[in-house]
Amino acid sequence: MRHANDQPEFLHPDYEPGELDRMEGQLRHALAVEASRIHPADRIDEVLRTAHEAGPTSDGVRPRRWLGPVSVAATVALIAGGAWAATHRSADQLVPAPPASSGPGLSATTGQPTGSSTVSSGTPTSGTPTAPPAGLTTASLPVYFVGPIGDSKGTHKLFREFLPGALHRGASPAERAKAALVLAVDAYPGGSTAGYLQPWSGQTIADVTVTDRTITVALANGGASGLSAETQRLAVQELVWTAQAAVGKGTIPVRFAVADGSAALFGRFPTSRTYNRPGSDQLFQDLAPVWVTTPGRGQVLPVSKPVHVQGQAIVFEGAVSWQLTRGQTQVKAGHTTATAGAPAQGSYSVDLGLLTPGDYTVRVFEVSMADGSVAAQEAVGFTVR
């Protein structure tokens, strides 16, 4: 079926998947999980028998007779996914800044912003305040960090955290951006637990200026030496994503000014140009494949309410696995499907139900279709009290 603009129905922005689409997604994920358990030494008849005798899917629906055609479709999807995986690598160059527009995770403006705002300080700002000083309020700020994705190769990408920052009531976009950037370069205390890197160690944020066309971030220096080229690239993108998210007016290009006169960040990225996040179909260049956004790291949840896990994922076919542990004991485990598969970023959710009081860790991960290993993961600890 096609709409009036001759666009296929499944590509229309208002399209919602029906029962057949949901069932196909569930079957594809089930097939992917089973495939990850098969070793080359298994005989083909055993593999076929296992597929034939497969029980109900995770939602209790038994496989239907059209499993064969769907299996063929899943095989084709695996081949296509392999082609995507072959290009799933970090770009050596930062993405040139496109015109300002709304982006994933950012609030789109309803009209063109006017004027500019600037925040300055006579002395560099550092540290994460434990309580807001008099006249200030605590705001939740989006902050990006460079961290390991949990694969065997030691790959690093960007993770987002929402952290408290002290701001005046009615703070300007520039003030919000500066507060968030200060947290980003300091690699907040929880970063040691999460394994986040500190590529901006010793850096300070002097000024942040925001206009409708550019966000300008003034740094004290051009960055430390001794980092890999990819870590340097991600360090720059860390500041780009943080500034844009804190300003909340779309993907406004970001420019850097360096007080010590450096013409390039880390000696590689010129301050004469602007930087931006990649397009929606290239987010895997910067963002970690798996995020856990709820519960927050170290969050205390009430024992009287069900626990819900939410997050974002850029994984093949949207297939996400999860595990809940208490100490060394597994409490629950399962899998779900994100709203979109790679290279798009989709959202997922898991209902853990009511949990008894205690300390828990939820681990969400992607299983490699190639060898069944963990391709990416994030683990977040929380408490039920």
Side-chain angles (χ1 to χ4, degrees):
M1 183 181 297
R2 291 179 177 269
H3 288 267
N5 61 359
D6 200 41
Q7 184 182 53
E9 182 179 27
F10 68 90
L11 291 179
H12 192 272
D14 295 329
Y15 170 76
E16 294 184 1
E19 180 184 359
L20 180 62
D21 301 273
R22 289 192 295 270
M23 178 63 66
E24 180 178 349
Q26 292 165 356
L27 286 171
R28 285 189 178 191
H29 178 63
L31 286 169
V33 172
E34 291 302 321
S36 70
R37 298 172 180 171
I38 297 173
H39 300 283
D42 293 339
R43 298 195 306 273
I44 186 64
D45 57 337
E46 292 178 343
V47 175
L48 293 175
R49 177 174 54 79
T50 301
H52 178 71
E53 297 175 354
T57 57
S58 60
D59 62 356
V61 180
R62 297 190 66 85
R64 301 185 181 180
R65 293 183 179 180
W66 39 267
L67 175 61
V70 172
S71 299
V72 175
T75 302
V76 174
L78 282 168
I79 296 173
W84 168 82
T87 61
H88 191 292
R89 57 178 63 90
S90 303
D92 182 60
Q93 299 297 325
L94 290 171
V95 180
S101 62
S102 63
L106 296 178
S107 300
T109 54
T110 56
Q112 286 290 339
T114 58
S116 64
S117 58
T118 305
V119 57
S120 303
S121 63
T123 57
T125 305
S126 63
T128 305
T130 55
L136 300 180
T137 186
T138 300
S140 180
L141 299 171
V143 185
Y144 287 78
F145 297 101
V146 180
I149 70 170
D151 66 348
S152 60
K153 301 177 182 178
T155 308
H156 290 77
K157 294 291 181 181
L158 296 183
F159 292 84
R160 184 190 63 197
E161 303 274 356
F162 281 93
L163 303 178
L167 291 169
H168 293 284
R169 295 186 183 277
S172 68
E175 290 173 317
R176 285 181 56 85
K178 179 176 180 178
L181 287 166
V182 166
L183 294 172
V185 300
D186 278 355
Y188 84 112
S192 58
T193 302
Y196 295 145
L197 303 183
Q198 299 185 43
W200 294 107
S201 180
Q203 183 63 262
T204 54
I205 308 296
D207 304 332
V208 176
T209 302
V210 179
T211 71
D212 59 347
R213 291 182 176 275
T214 310
I215 300 172
T216 302
V217 179
L219 304 174
N221 57 71
S225 59
L227 303 175
S228 69
E230 176 62 4
T231 300
Q232 292 173 342
R233 187 191 75 81
L234 288 171
V236 175
Q237 290 299 85
E238 170 186 27
L239 302 189
V240 171
W241 281 82
T242 298
Q244 291 177 337
V247 169
K249 293 185 177 181
T251 54
I252 301 176
V254 178
R255 184 181 298 277
F256 297 95
V258 184
D260 67 4
S262 300
L265 302 181
F266 301 108
R268 298 183 66 238
F269 306 108
T271 57
S272 59
R273 54 157 292 189
T274 58
Y275 299 91
N276 213 327
R277 61 181 60 187
S280 59
D281 61 341
Q282 298 291 313
L283 297 180
F284 60 85
Q285 294 183 3
D286 289 358
L287 303 184
V290 179
W291 285 357
V292 177
T293 57
T294 303
R297 199 177 302 279
Q299 185 176 0
V300 178
L301 303 176
V303 69
S304 60
K305 294 184 178 180
V307 176
H308 300 281
V309 177
Q310 294 180 316
Q312 306 259 316
I314 309 176
V315 298
F316 176 67
E317 290 292 312
V320 176
S321 299
W322 59 270
Q323 179 188 47
L324 178 69
T325 57
R326 184 175 180 181
Q328 301 298 317
T329 304
Q330 176 176 294
V331 179
K332 297 182 179 182
H335 59 265
T336 187
T337 304
T339 56
Q345 185 183 53
S347 59
Y348 68 86
S349 63
V350 177
D351 184 3
L352 298 179
L354 293 172
L355 300 177
T356 58
D359 297 328
Y360 295 87
T361 298
V362 60
R363 182 174 73 102
V364 182
F365 56 99
E366 176 191 11
V367 177
S368 169
M369 295 299 99
D371 56 12
S373 63
V374 174
Q377 66 177 326
E378 184 174 23
V380 171
F382 64 94
T383 299
V384 174
R385 184 178 301 164

